[in-house]
Amino acid sequence: MANKTEELALRLSEDAAQEVGVYVVDVDYKKAPGASSLCFYIDKEGGVGIDECEAFSRAVEKALDEADPIAENYTLEVSSPGVDRRLVKEREFRYYIGREVDVKLFAAVDGVKEFTGTLRGYENKTASIDCGDRIYKIPVKCAAYIRLSFVF
């Protein structure tokens, strides 16, 4: 987590997430004069919709109101991670192990700059991606993006 507010919000959200049957993929707190926001990104097998977002929002709001971890006014937001969201944090990578991901590298490895494979692991800020004939070890900082693969 980027800061203490996000870490605390994540801890406070665990019971709400379990109650609603979702996983908190990430928490993002942006502090700005008069416009601070706390955004939870939630997911579950098969994806989340507006009903899960609403239920989680109501449940986590209670926990946040009781603990009152943010002194200033803020907007509470709840969202799915979205189809084009880059995986960045360890928590995200660990949750999506076993899922297909699209990868675009800044520089080609063995002549390959873009590929799709199965996320097999994450350690020391490096993703292991299985492409069938080879497992690539990709430091996250070397990728323009690593994101979930969706076929429309």
Side-chain angles (χ1 to χ4, degrees), residues 17-132:
Q18 187 174 4
E19 174 186 322
V20 177
V22 298
Y23 178 81
V24 178
V25 174
D26 193 15
V27 179
D28 188 27
Y29 176 63
K30 290 190 173 110
K31 188 173 180 177
S36 297
S37 65
L38 180 64
C39 186
F40 290 88
Y41 295 94
I42 63 171
D43 204 357
K44 70 174 187 176
E45 191 64 39
V48 294
I50 190 73
D51 293 338
E52 289 89 0
C53 289
E54 183 180 350
F56 177 80
S57 178
R58 286 191 177 137
V60 77
E61 187 175 42
K62 290 177 190 174
L64 292 170
D65 285 349
E66 287 175 16
D68 199 20
I70 302 172
E72 64 275 349
N73 289 333
Y74 65 94
T75 302
L76 175 63
E77 302 172 12
V78 178
S79 175
S80 73
V83 296
D84 61 347
R85 180 184 170 89
R86 292 177 43 232
L87 303 182
V88 177
K89 297 179 182 175
E90 179 177 357
R91 181 174 181 82
E92 296 171 281
F93 279 98
R94 295 210 179 277
Y95 179 71
Y96 290 118
I97 288 175
R99 296 274 304 267
E100 274 205 350
V101 292
D102 294 327
V103 179
K104 181 174 184 179
L105 304 173
F106 290 119
V109 174
D110 297 335
V112 177
K113 195 170 180 179
E114 292 185 54
F115 59 91
T116 299
T118 303
L119 181 62
R120 291 293 179 214
Y122 182 84
E123 189 173 326
N124 298 324
K125 299 182 181 184
T126 299
S128 299
I129 301 165
D130 185 346
C131 290

